[in-house]
Every structure is written in C-alpha cells, then in structure tokens.
Amino acid sequence: MRRLLSLFLLIALLAACSPAPDQPAATPQPGQTDATSQPESTAEPGDGGPVTISYAAWDYEQQFYEPLTKKFMAEHPNITIALVSLDDMMNVPREQQNSPEGPLTQLRRIVSGADTAPASALTPEAYGSGLLLDLAPLMDADGAFKRDDFLPGALEQYAAKGGSWVLPRYLNVQILSYNKDLFKAAGLPEPKAGWTWTDLLGNAEQLAKKSGSKVDTYGYLDSSGGFMPLIALLHDQGIDLLNTPAQKVKLDSPEVLAAVKRLRALTDSGALFRPEYKQDAPIDPGQIIRDGKVAIWGNEFVQIADGPGAPKQPTQDFGFAVGKAPYPSTFAGLYGGADGYIISAGTAHPNAAWQWIEFLSRQQIDQPGPEGPIGINNGPGRIPARQSLADQTGFWKNIDEQTAAAYKWAIAHPAPQMERTPDYAAFGALSSVLDQILGAEKKDPQKALQEAQKQLETQLAETQLTPTPAPDTNPVIVATPEPQAAPGGAATINFSVDGYNPSDIRRVARSFRDQHPEIFVQIKATNAYTEPPSLAKVAQTNDCFTWYAPPQNDDDFKALLDLQPLFDADATFPVADFAPALLTPYQRNGGLFGLPYAVTLRTLNYNKTAFDAAGIKTPSYQWKPDDFLAAAQTLTKGEGEKKQFGYVPLSGAQQDLMFFVGQFGGKLVNGSGKEARPNFGDPKVVQAIQWYLDLAGVHKVMPPIKFPYKRDDPGFEDKSYEYVTNGRAAMWFDQGYGMFGGPDGVPPIKGIDPNGPQPPKFEVGIAPLPIGGGGLNSADLYLRGFHISAKTQQSQACWEWLKFLSADINNLQGGVPARTSVLTSDAFTKQADPATIELAKTYAEALHSRGSGSSQGGDPNAFYSMDTYWFFKALSEAQGKKTPLDQGLAEAQKLTSAYMDCLERMPNKPATCAAQVDPKYQGYNTEDPPEGPGKPVFPLG
C-alpha cells in the first residue's frame, strides 16, 4: 500500500524550503569569522573600487542567468557577477558521504561558496544564525526599494526572529476546490476565507453520503491521509505537535486517542477520504472528483495550470460548478511557501549582493517554451511575489476572481513560522499508526497507539546511542569564486556532458586544469533543443562532448572529427590501448570518429544458491545454447506459485532472443542504414527462434512469454522482476549486478529509507554471456564515448582533455573502462568487485580473440528501425500453433521488405506504407508524421 503522505510531508512541512537534490555535496569549507557581515551604509559598492560577488545557480538555469548578469553589470559597472554551480555544492560521490546530511549542512555549504543563492535548504534553525544575512536593514536603507510592489504578506513569508531572511521571487500557494452543486444541494453556505478546520470537517460530515456500506459522496479528499486534520484536532486541544520534540510526544495520550477516534468516525462515514493506492486496484482521485463524488479537495489532485497561457479557470474540466477557497487559517502557511533569494552572512559585499538579488526579483527569469515556461514547475499556485512582475507576465488575466481572491488571502495571512524543524521520528510513527487505524486493517486505536509509542521510544533510545552531531551554524566567510572563464592566453573548449553528472565531470576538469593551465574546459550541462537531441546537433554547438552510443548514420559521422590523425601524431597515447572490437563501431572508411570510454557489459546473472544446491558449476562463456538449456533443465523444479524456473527473461524476451539468434550463427538483418533488409527466413534464424520458443513451450524452463506487437494488445503482466527478486529464477540476463547493485545488494544508507532496497534472499552471481556458439554481438556491449566536433577550432585542446578524461574511473556508471591500461590499473581493480574484474578479463579475451562479432545477430539498431509488427506476429502465431514458424517468418520477411522498399520511395510515410503492404495491418504506425524541414521520421517498430 502506498499513499501520498510521505510526499505530502516533504511538500507541506518543508514548504519554506526550496527543494535540494538527494545527494548533497562536500566542497572545501572556508575559514570562519567571529561575526556576521552586516551592512553599515548604502554606499555604492564602487566607492572602494570594483567588487565581485557570486551567485549559485543550478546548472540547468545557467543559460537563463547569463544574459541577466550581463544586463546587471551594464547597469552596475563596478559590480561583477560570477555564476557558480549550485549542483557542485550539492552533489558529492556517495562514498564521500559519512552520514545523511540535513538541510543546515547543505545550506552551510551554499553560503560558504556563494555570496547569493536561491533559497534552498532553509529550516527555522537557519534564521538568526551565522549563515544568513538579515535583509531587513538592506530593505530599509534602499530608498528605491518598493515594498508595496510585493503582494500583501509576501515579504512576511520569511520574517522570523526579528529579521527577514529571503527576498521572495515566487509564492507557492495551495488552495482548496469544492463542488458548488453539492454545497447547494446540502443547503450549506460556501466556504469563506478565514474558515477553520472545525468548519471544514463539519461541512465534510454534512456533505458525505452513504448507501449502506458504500460511500456515494465523500466530504473531504485529504492528501495527507488524515495527518493534517489530526494536527488541527490536537491544536484545538492546545497540543502543538509541529513544534514538539519527539521525546515529549505521547502518542498514547488521551488527547491523541480522542483525535484519532474522531478521524476514524470521519473516515467510516465518508466525511474524510484517504485514497489508498494498491497495485492490484489503483485509484485515480482525480477521476473520482470529476465524477462529482467529492465535495472538497486540494488542487494537488487535479492539476490545472494557471497563469500566462493557461485556459480560463476553473470549470473547464468538470460537469459542475467549482469554487475555490483558502485552506483553514491555522495551517495556511504549511500549504505553500516561496522561492526567492538569500545573501550569505559571510559576504564581504552586502550592498552589492542586495542590489543583485533586488534586481533579480524584478526580472522574468522563466523562459517561454511551447508548453509553458522552461525549467520550472508551472503547476497551479505558483505566483509572482512582485505585482509588477505579475502585470508584466499577465499572470492574473487568466485566473477567475474567486481563485485569485483565495490565493491573495492565503498570501496575506501566512501562518507563523515554525520554531523548529518538525521531528520526523514522531511523524513517521504517527503516520504509520494512522495507516493501521484508518486503513483497511482497522486496528484498535488504543492498542495501536500504545504499540506506536513503544516503537517510538525504542527508536529514540537507539538514536541516543549514536546521536547525530549538531549542525554547524557558526559564522562563515564566502570563498573566492573559482575562475568562470579562461585566464588570459588559455584556450577555452565547450564540453557537453549530456548523460553525466556535470558536477562529477567538473571535478575532473579542475584536476585537468592543474596539469594543463593553458586549456580551460567549460562544462555545458544543458543544451536547449526544440526537437529531440542527436549526436549531430550536439556537435553543432560544442567543441567536444560525451554521447551514449557510437555514431549511427551519415549525419553523425559527418559532424565528427576524424581522430585517427591525432592518434597517429601522439606516441603517448597508443590506439592499441583499446580492444579493436571497441573501436569498430566508431570507425568508417579508415577513420576513427570517437573515443570509447566505458563499456557496459551484458551478463548472465545467476542464483548462486540454487546452482550450489543443484551441484552445477559456475556458468562459462564457452557455453553453447545446448549447455545453457541443460543447465536450465537441471535448475527447473517445483510447481505452481513456488516453481523455480531455470531461466527468466528480465523485462521482456526480445533482447535475449536476439542474443541467441547470434549464437546459432544467424542474423536478423542484412546491411545497415537505408540498405538494411530483413533476413528472417534464414534457416539459422528459424532454428534459433524455434529453440528459444521451446524453452517455454516444450521444455518449460522459462515462464510463458508474450511479444506485444499490436496496438490494441490488452497487455501482458511481466512478472520477471518478481521471479528474480523472490529467488524463483536460476538464470537471467542483466548488466552487471543490475537491480541488486552488488553481490550483497544495495547497502541501505543509515537514516534514509529503511524500506528501500534490501539485500537479496540468495547469493547473486554474475558470469559472462554464454558466447560459445557465436561470439559477442555488438548488441551485447553498450559503449559510451567522447567525440570532437568537425567544426571545432580547438581540436588539439579537446584531444588533450579527452585523453585525460578517458583515464577517469569515477564516472563509469556501472561499466568498465574501455582502455586496457585503465582496466588493469590498481586504481580500478581496488574499487571494482572481483567478479566484475574477472568478467572484464574474460570479455577482453573474447574481444581480442574473436573480434567484434558484429556480423552475428545483425545490427540491432537496423532491426528496430524497421516496423517489427510482422516479425513478432510470426512468433506469436507460431506460439499459438496458428502458423508454422518458418512460414510465418518467410511471410514476415516479404512484407517487411516491401515496407522498407516503400519507405525508400516515400520516406515520410510509415503509416501509408504499412497499410499498402498489409491492408490488415494492426501495428503502431497509424499516422504519418507532419511534413516539413526538421521533421525526421521515426517508424514505430
């Protein structure tokens, strides 16, 4: 069972904090000072000469802030703005994390590394500490600052402890919707601003309707699963659970028991609707609302965008009149928050920093896109804090008066700032017991609360044994920003890192700069495209870059620089350091158009516990298909729900099928690109596919399989993951340890998620693919590499950088190094799992001795660029005994070939060609794409 509570708590209870990534970072801490830096005057920063201040921006937002920095610096010639990466501050490798870091630790890192930043990782403990600068004196001293330009209540969102800590940019406000027709039918007045939780729950009781045990109409659909109504009921009794330390919480107190019993009655009557999500019976709360069966609900359940470009609110999606009202005032602030700007208490230039963030608060930073602003959450309730900015963007024009009034009332009546960060030990226990009492279990409230209190006390006692160090909120000094541009005389190269963590690559670039000060690597983390990105497009805007696969077509190769001359001229970097098979996908006409970096190996994974019990030796790469079948037969045992299968195709059988076609010496496709044609009728292909289908149909060593190929296919429940994790699969194909993360599973991180990935119930083994029959296929190796654009003017600088980066072992993403010298280096072997090292050695031998094996199995990219409807139709009909496999594949080859010939004549007409070739066609190519320049065709295979 999964509910919305965990997400709700993150959003509602930390609404005052902007979101931060899951993996915090560790950057060097600067020295400390004895006092925070406070402004003494409003003197123009240039009085003492030019100053530089830094702003921490997320990588994806850099492209938006760059023009703003230029605009600001033109208006303030004595102030230089240096953009620094907020991602770098907030992301570090997992192995460098000693323990989970809280928001204050993250905030300290931000304010130590930048003068100004977005308001991320804020908690009540940060206000008045040595981390944040109080903005109130700056506001008061700035005669040009217009407080009345902000919506009433906006500046008060972060007013606490006698100071003002955030200059808001947007306010995030959640409000309630209600079914006006249901209120009218019940004879109830519509909700008004300032109503209480008692009013809300009382209305919900009167609006709920039941017929026997069935609820016809629900009163209030609650996203917190009853948690926030419980907080409200306790608040009415003088209990402030939000600000109470867990050690003082008594879950089994009479007050909590009475409140929980009240919630049980509300739930049983239908007045309180707690949507419970079950995998076997999913519930769509939005649909229940649209069906008119809910009287009151939060906007989070029916996402209807508002603001510029949005349709008129709020009735367009409903068959009834919808009203809007603020949440009850007691917790109005918990359902919102703001995003804005902060100044580090350690800045040396507070006045310059203030002028910069005040300037930013007046700018339209969100960039327009085809579906709304780029890079932001454009959901309902995201409201510009400044009225001038709202007018500039036309925000209020598309919002009806009642919705606008609800938003403005909620902003003008913020709840008091919480005194402390909510204690999640108590909240976790309370949310769990609410599930037990209000959910399907219907546990006795008193007993459940007593058990929860005991569990809470046990948890707190365990925590005391290893207490978490108190966060450091002492004063900071902002570190001098690193150079954001090449020093004089150095060459700058733009390097795109799509598919990698920019912060990780930027760390490598810093090490590179130490050795090559004459080269400055500008890491580009985001490329803006109006169409799907391609290798050729990335090459147009970068000197060099990463890419997730070798080049595929003529356009790709034309966009790339031939690296072979660079290899020939560089005796320090021999091409022999790469297995020839790894270079083959990057070669064309004697040229080399990429540098392979990482190789992700497909593996034969196995249940070592089951193998040992059956007395079978570890799988060998020398296995042929018959050896694989013999092992699968020995390992298959049991019946029904407890049956252990010798082999289970993980996440579908298509890729495994193609592998075995190669092991029989067959290939599904002849040629490549426009010349590619199906080879389905090849006797070796027929033999291989029949052998594979027989694994399930004849030998019963594999669960029944299905190949979805029709657009109206009812679907097929894939239980392969369940089979593997429950120990009912003896063998399966994966990439390394795959879902398990390692031989002992993914180790849980203390304090993060006790219900996260757990160790497997058996010993997991990995082995090479059984390639004794046909060697390695190009589809069995996933290559990622580096490239240099054919248009670059910095080819030699890129070459030096790519050589350096190719030796990095920290960004392999589960793969192994492509360079043999790096693969066998102490640095890699010390960090890699021994089984992975042995696996890599085996594959290296196979690659050197057998070559690429690219002829085996055919080109998988070419196969999937076809329409595979007729191929999988033949397999499905053979399984159902409708058509013999050889006949079905012969027909599939004829129709697919005709389809490809048609596409060659009419390259933009996949649907037209499919219908011409086969009037009974039921595949996915049902519409031809729009014509015109820049509209590539992607036939649906």
Side-chain angles (χ1 to χ4, degrees):
M1 179 188 304
R2 289 189 300 111
R3 297 190 297 100
L4 293 178
L5 183 54
S6 59
L7 177 61
F8 173 84
L9 287 178
L10 183 62
I11 295 173
L13 297 176
L14 288 181
C17 307
S18 296
D22 291 334
Q23 294 185 343
T27 55
Q29 295 290 344
Q32 296 182 348
T33 183
D34 293 332
T36 59
S37 298
Q38 291 287 353
E40 297 181 355
S41 71
T42 57
E44 192 66 26
D47 290 353
V51 300
T52 297
I53 60 171
S54 51
Y55 178 74
W58 298 109
D59 282 346
Y60 80 91
E61 287 190 319
Q62 295 260 351
Q63 59 185 318
F64 306 147
Y65 279 102
E66 286 171 357
L68 292 176
T69 62
K70 295 177 181 178
K71 179 181 178 182
F72 177 82
M73 289 187 292
E75 297 176 6
H76 302 79
N78 286 334
I79 304 177
T80 298
I81 305 297
L83 294 180
V84 296
S85 173
L86 188 52
D87 296 71
D88 286 2
M89 300 175 185
M90 303 291 278
N91 290 277
V92 290
R94 182 188 181 102
E95 60 271 13
Q96 295 182 18
Q97 300 178 35
N98 296 323
S99 63
E101 294 183 329
L104 277 176
T105 303
Q106 298 173 352
L107 178 62
R108 183 175 187 84
R109 188 171 296 117
I110 296 170
V111 297
S112 297
D115 296 281
T116 58
S120 294
L122 297 184
T123 66
E125 291 83 357
Y127 309 140
S129 71
L131 303 179
L132 297 178
L133 187 69
D134 181 5
L135 304 182
L138 294 164
M139 294 179 186
D140 295 339
D142 186 350
F145 181 63
K146 298 180 179 179
R147 285 179 175 270
D148 59 1
D149 187 32
F150 288 80
L151 289 170
L155 291 175
E156 288 70 38
Q157 295 289 323
Y158 287 101
K161 298 182 181 179
S164 184
W165 309 103
V166 176
L167 183 63
R169 173 175 69 143
Y170 278 92
L171 306 170
N172 302 305
V173 183
Q174 288 297 321
I175 59 176
L176 288 168
S177 301
Y178 58 92
N179 187 321
K180 289 189 173 186
D181 294 355
L182 292 179
F183 269 81
K184 183 177 181 180
L188 293 175
E190 294 184 13
K192 294 182 179 180
W195 66 330
T196 66
W197 277 95
T198 299
D199 297 330
L200 190 158
L201 297 177
N203 282 342
E205 283 184 292
Q206 297 183 65
L207 291 161
K209 304 294 181 185
K210 291 186 70 173
S211 299
S213 61
K214 180 184 177 183
V215 178
D216 298 318
T217 304
Y218 293 98
Y220 169 48
L221 177 53
D222 177 30
S223 63
S224 74
F227 191 89
M228 292 312 297
L230 176 61
I231 297 290
L233 292 174
L234 292 175
H235 189 273
D236 289 344
Q237 301 181 63
I239 298 175
D240 184 4
L241 195 60
L242 294 176
N243 291 303
T244 301
Q247 293 82 354
K248 296 184 178 180
V249 170
K250 300 298 180 184
L251 300 179
D252 55 352
S253 69
E255 293 84 0
V256 175
L257 177 60
V260 169
K261 286 183 175 180
R262 167 88 163 123
L263 290 180
R264 167 77 78 84
L266 290 170
T267 303
D268 291 344
S269 69
L272 183 68
F273 180 24
R274 302 170 63 257
E276 297 179 342
Y277 295 91
K278 302 177 182 179
Q279 293 184 353
D280 56 344
I283 296 175
D284 179 5
Q287 187 58 52
I288 298 176
I289 293 169
R290 285 186 285 270
D291 290 341
K293 297 182 178 180
V294 178
I296 309 168
W297 64 93
N299 274 10
E300 64 270 23
F301 285 111
V302 182
Q303 292 292 316
I304 307 171
D306 51 26
K312 192 71 177 177
Q313 299 288 345
T315 60
Q316 71 276 16
D317 273 4
F318 303 94
F320 49 86
V322 175
K324 301 287 183 176
Y327 269 92
S329 57
T330 305
F331 304 113
L334 291 178
Y335 292 87
D339 75 75
Y341 305 102
I342 59 174
I343 299 178
S344 169
T347 182
H349 308 289
N351 290 304
W354 165 254
Q355 291 189 49
W356 165 241
I357 67 168
E358 197 279 331
F359 166 84
L360 287 179
S361 73
R362 292 183 275 110
Q363 309 304 311
Q364 172 59 23
I365 295 174
D366 306 328
Q367 303 299 305
E371 297 180 0
I374 296 173
I376 65 167
N377 174 13
N378 196 34
R382 189 171 186 272
I383 302 168
R386 299 191 79 130
Q387 301 193 69
S388 59
L389 189 57
D391 293 340
Q392 177 185 335
T393 59
F395 178 84
W396 298 106
K397 290 182 178 179
N398 294 315
I399 299 178
D400 66 276
E401 293 183 6
Q402 191 180 32
T403 301
Y407 282 148
K408 291 178 179 179
W409 190 93
I411 294 169
H413 297 79
Q417 284 287 341
M418 286 184 287
E419 301 169 6
R420 62 192 304 277
T421 301
D423 199 318
Y424 292 105
F427 284 3
L430 195 55
S431 64
S432 177
V433 78
L434 280 179
D435 275 345
Q436 299 168 14
I437 296 171
L438 305 182
E441 293 181 67
K442 297 293 183 183
K443 291 188 70 171
D444 176 77
Q446 186 171 13
K447 291 182 179 179
L449 288 169
Q450 289 172 346
E451 293 173 1
Q453 180 63 31
K454 290 179 181 179
Q455 293 174 2
L456 175 60
E457 292 172 356
T458 300
Q459 181 181 351
L460 293 174
E462 293 175 349
T463 302
Q464 289 301 315
L465 296 176
T466 55
T468 303
D472 184 3
T473 58
N474 288 316
V476 296
I477 293 178
V478 176
T480 302
E482 290 192 348
Q484 303 300 301
T492 299
I493 57 176
N494 290 324
F495 184 69
S496 171
V497 294
D498 287 341
Y500 291 85
N501 185 331
S503 300
D504 293 338
I505 304 299
R506 204 175 279 119
R507 292 186 186 98
V508 183
R510 293 190 189 110
S511 298
F512 174 74
R513 189 170 63 209
D514 292 339
Q515 298 185 24
H516 294 272
E518 77 282 4
I519 302 173
F520 185 85
V521 182
Q522 183 69 51
I523 303 299
K524 296 185 65 176
T526 305
N527 292 287
Y529 299 106
T530 57
E531 298 173 1
S534 67
L535 185 151
K537 290 176 183 176
V538 176
Q540 295 293 319
T541 55
N542 295 277
D543 295 296
C544 33
F545 56 95
T546 65
W547 196 248
Y548 60 86
Q552 303 296 321
N553 52 48
D554 292 342
D555 289 341
D556 287 351
F557 280 100
K558 289 178 182 178
L560 300 175
L561 184 72
D562 181 5
L563 306 185
Q564 192 61 50
L566 294 170
F567 262 117
D568 295 341
D570 192 340
T572 67
F573 195 55
V575 72
D577 200 17
F578 298 86
L582 302 183
L583 296 175
T584 299
Y586 295 94
Q587 293 173 326
R588 175 177 281 197
N589 299 327
L592 178 65
F593 297 88
L595 194 67
Y597 166 61
V599 187
T600 302
L601 308 170
R602 287 201 81 206
T603 53
L604 175 61
N605 292 23
Y606 63 101
N607 182 329
K608 194 172 185 301
T609 305
F611 265 69
D612 292 344
I616 300 179
K617 294 182 179 179
T618 301
S620 166
Y621 79 94
Q622 296 177 329
W623 273 9
K624 296 181 179 180
D626 286 345
D627 300 314
F628 179 87
L629 173 58
Q633 289 174 314
T634 303
L635 291 160
T636 300
K637 64 178 184 179
E639 297 293 337
E641 293 300 315
K642 295 186 178 181
K643 181 174 181 177
Q644 174 183 288
F645 292 96
Y647 157 69
V648 172
L650 189 62
S651 300
Q654 287 91 329
Q655 192 172 20
D656 291 4
L657 171 66
M658 295 181 69
F659 166 78
F660 282 113
V661 169
Q663 294 309 301
F664 278 83
K667 52 183 179 179
L668 295 174
V669 179
N670 284 322
S672 61
K674 295 180 180 179
E675 305 301 322
R677 290 297 183 272
N679 190 45
F680 305 155
D682 184 334
K684 293 181 179 179
V685 171
V686 177
Q687 179 189 9
I689 293 176
Q690 188 63 66
W691 177 88
Y692 190 80
L693 297 180
D694 287 347
L695 293 178
V698 176
H699 306 296
K700 311 296 183 184
V701 301
M702 172 173 69
I705 57 174
K706 185 175 181 179
F707 300 98
Y709 67 98
K710 295 190 295 185
R711 58 181 177 267
D712 59 350
D713 197 299
F716 176 69
E717 184 179 8
D718 179 16
K719 294 185 176 182
S720 60
Y721 182 88
E722 178 184 335
Y723 286 139
V724 172
T725 55
N726 290 341
R728 294 180 59 195
M731 295 184 289
W732 64 97
F733 289 27
D734 208 331
Q735 298 174 15
Y737 285 101
M739 71 184 80
F740 295 111
D744 300 318
V746 179
I749 303 176
K750 180 181 177 182
I752 291 294
D753 184 7
N755 298 317
Q758 301 297 312
K761 302 175 183 178
F762 52 89
E763 188 175 356
V764 180
I766 61 171
L769 296 173
I771 55 176
L776 281 171
N777 182 349
S778 58
D780 301 327
L781 303 172
Y782 298 92
L783 284 168
R784 287 176 285 118
F786 309 139
H787 304 273
I788 300 178
S789 169
K791 292 187 174 183
T792 184
Q793 301 298 311
Q794 301 290 349
S795 59
Q796 189 61 43
C798 277
W799 176 248
E800 296 298 331
W801 162 236
L802 296 188
K803 285 195 302 178
F804 186 89
L805 187 57
S806 69
D808 173 64
I809 61 172
N810 297 310
N811 290 281
L812 296 169
Q813 299 181 351
V816 298
R819 291 176 58 179
T820 304
S821 61
V822 180
L823 178 65
T824 57
S825 68
D826 289 342
F828 178 72
T829 55
K830 286 179 181 178
Q831 76 164 28
D833 173 68
T836 300
I837 296 173
E838 190 61 33
L839 185 73
K841 290 180 180 178
T842 300
Y843 275 110
E845 293 174 6
L847 288 168
H848 281 92
S849 62
R850 294 176 178 269
S852 68
S854 59
S855 63
Q856 302 299 329
D859 181 357
N861 295 304
F863 173 72
Y864 285 110
S865 69
M866 301 177 177
D867 189 321
T868 58
Y869 166 78
W870 297 284
F871 174 78
F872 288 117
K873 179 174 181 285
L875 272 59
S876 298
E877 291 186 348
Q879 285 180 295
K881 308 298 183 182
K882 293 182 180 179
T883 306
L885 180 63
D886 57 346
Q887 294 181 22
L889 287 173
E891 179 70 7
Q893 177 167 324
K894 183 182 72 172
L895 294 173
T896 306
S897 296
Y899 170 79
M900 298 298 290
D901 292 342
C902 178
L903 269 186
E904 193 167 3
R905 298 189 303 270
M906 298 186 293
N908 212 38
K909 302 290 184 181
T912 299
C913 286
Q916 285 185 3
V917 168
D918 182 1
K920 297 182 179 180
Y921 175 80
Q922 299 179 51
Y924 296 104
N925 279 314
T926 58
E927 294 183 7
D928 293 327
E931 297 186 11
K935 301 292 184 181
V937 178
F938 299 102
L940 300 176

